Each structure stands twice: as C-alpha cells, then as structure tokens.
Amino acid sequence: MARNIQSLERAAAMLRLLAGGERRLGLSDIASSLGLAKGTAHGILRTLQHEGFVEQDDASGRYQLGAELLRLGTTYLDVHELRARALVWTDDLARSSGESVYLGVLHQQGVLIVHHVFRPDDSRQVLEIGAMQPLHSTALGKVLSAYDPVARSEAAEAERQAFTDRTVCDLDGFEHILGLTRARGYAADIEETWEGVASIAAPIHDRRRMPVGAVGVTGAVERLCRDGELRPELVAAVRDCARAVSRDLGAGRF
C-alpha cells in the first residue's frame, strides 16, 4: 500500500484548521493545535503562503486562508454548476442527434471532458469523463480557443501535434480557423484528430457572458457529414444546446 506524504497531510490539516476556527491564527496556536514544532509549522505556512493558499496579516502576524483557495473553489463550483445545468440538454442532444455528446472545459493546456453522454444505441462505448483532448485539433478545443483568450494563448504557445494529415498545425492557419469559428458560432473537426471521426462544438457562456465551456457531438464522418459537409441540422442542434445551457447559466440570449 502506498504511504501518504506526511508534509501534505500536515498542510491539509493546517488549511482545515484555518478554515474551521477563528478567522486568523498565530504560529503558536497553529503549531500547538496540530502538535507540530514551531519550525515545522512555520515552514509549511511559508510554502502555503508562497502558493497563495495562506495569507499573513502584516499588523498581527497571524495567518488566514488565502485568495488562491477561493479561486480554486470557485472553479470547482463553476464546473459543477456547468455540468448540472447541462445534464438535461446534453441528454436531449444525444437523443436528437443519435451521437455521443461531450462537455469540455479548459484545463492544463487542453480540454478536460467533464460530462459524456453515450450514443443512444447498443454499441459498446467507454466513458470518457476525465479524459483530455487537444485544443488545436478538436472541435471543443477550437471553440474554447476562439472564445477564451487564455485558451487561445495556450494553444498558440503549445506544440501543435499533427494527428492526421488534416490537422492544422501552423499558427496562421490555426488563427484563421479561430476567426471562422467566431464568425460561424461553432467549430468543426473532420478527421483532424482521429481518422474517420468528425465533431461539431459550440461555446457555452455564463451570466457574465464569459466562455465557461463547450458542448459538442462526435461520431463517424459518414453520419455527421453529407456530401463532404457537416449536416446543417446537427450544427443547429449543437448550437441550440449550447444556447440553452448558456441561458440556464444566466447568459440570456446570444
């Protein structure tokens, strides 16, 4: 059995202590409450402070939780709310399109799949929640890059790998695709990431009109395309789904 890392356990206990007691605690209080030597407690606090998880009051020298924890908590709540709001609409999209539906958010220079609805048939499928997709070649990634400046910057700075002979890797070509995505309101991936697979995705916005994710369908090229072009009814269905989730998040009409 793998052993827990003691320093991380102590840091977690320290954060819980600061979260559950008085608003601010001194070094002696923290050390005695956790049964730690002052030097050990101070070292952990200094590291947490450097990472933004703990702040020290200049006047009293006491410690309190830092803003970085709030940011991480808000990110978790945003993703949780996004997934909760999207459940009904993504189920409807899977039924109407007959294809797999994915909900993705920006995470660590890629697209993190936070919700996946299986294609409504009897085929064997693998749940892909927690999987990562590239920003530059997938429909979900292109949507995030087109509407989120952080995603665009990360995609532009990263090494854009060629997964198939259709993958657009040069920066000028990628920027052109992002402009086209914004103009059309959706992104496409026709065999740019996987041979024989196509995807359509559209952006989801929150009450601040900020992009918080993307939703899309993925399936075989012969099902998503007709005469070499994406089926317009599928494009409309994906965009309608994205708008519905956005409205539920308070974005209003787009």
Side-chain angles (χ1 to χ4, degrees):
M1 177 183 289
R3 297 179 61 185
N4 293 339
I5 300 174
Q6 188 181 56
S7 58
L8 292 180
E9 289 182 330
R10 289 173 170 175
M14 199 169 286
L15 293 173
R16 293 191 186 99
L17 177 65
L18 290 170
E22 300 177 23
R23 179 173 172 79
R24 293 173 180 163
L25 293 173
L27 174 60
S28 297
D29 298 324
I30 295 171
S32 62
S33 295
L34 299 179
L36 299 175
K38 280 189 179 181
T40 301
H42 184 256
I44 296 172
L45 284 167
R46 188 170 61 246
T47 300
L48 291 173
Q49 184 178 1
H50 176 73
E51 296 298 328
F53 297 138
V54 165
E55 296 174 355
Q56 186 178 26
D57 181 64
D58 292 334
S60 67
R62 290 175 172 263
Y63 294 90
Q64 64 183 24
L65 294 179
E68 182 65 10
L69 280 177
L70 176 62
R71 187 190 69 81
L72 292 176
T74 301
T75 299
Y76 169 77
L77 290 173
D78 285 348
V79 170
H80 182 73
E81 183 182 9
L82 170 62
R83 185 177 181 277
R85 298 287 186 180
L87 289 177
V88 172
W89 300 111
T90 51
D91 283 349
D92 287 347
L93 179 58
R95 282 194 295 269
S96 65
S97 67
E99 302 295 344
S100 299
V101 177
Y102 294 88
L103 186 69
V105 299
L106 176 66
H107 180 69
Q108 295 181 351
Q109 298 182 324
V111 182
L112 173 66
I113 303 302
V114 297
H115 186 52
H116 174 200
V117 184
F118 282 165
R119 185 172 62 255
D121 59 20
D122 295 327
S123 63
R124 185 174 180 179
Q125 300 171 65
V126 177
L127 188 66
E128 295 188 44
I129 294 176
M132 293 290 293
Q133 294 186 3
L135 286 170
H136 70 285
S137 63
T138 62
L140 292 172
K142 292 176 192 176
V143 163
L144 292 174
S145 299
Y147 288 89
D148 186 338
V150 175
R152 181 220 162 266
S153 177
E154 291 185 353
E157 294 173 3
E159 180 181 352
R160 292 174 296 280
Q161 179 182 350
F163 298 104
T164 73
D165 57 7
R166 291 173 174 260
T167 309
V168 177
C169 299
D170 66 285
L171 185 56
D172 287 343
F174 179 64
E175 293 285 4
H176 174 74
I177 288 174
L178 298 189
L180 185 60
T181 297
R182 287 187 291 269
R184 298 189 303 190
Y186 71 91
D189 165 11
I190 303 177
E191 297 189 284
E192 294 178 49
T193 310
W194 302 281
E195 297 281 356
V197 176
S199 300
I200 307 164
I204 296 172
H205 297 81
D206 66 6
R207 61 185 61 87
R208 300 161 296 178
R209 298 282 180 116
M210 297 294 292
V212 293
V215 63
V217 297
T218 297
V221 171
E222 58 266 25
R223 295 197 305 269
L224 266 67
C225 296
R226 183 185 301 124
D227 298 327
E229 299 291 336
L230 291 171
R231 290 167 52 196
E233 66 270 23
L234 289 180
V235 173
V238 171
R239 296 191 66 193
D240 286 346
C241 178
R243 283 193 288 260
V245 178
S246 297
R247 284 196 300 270
D248 276 4
L249 289 171
R253 296 185 62 85
F254 270 82

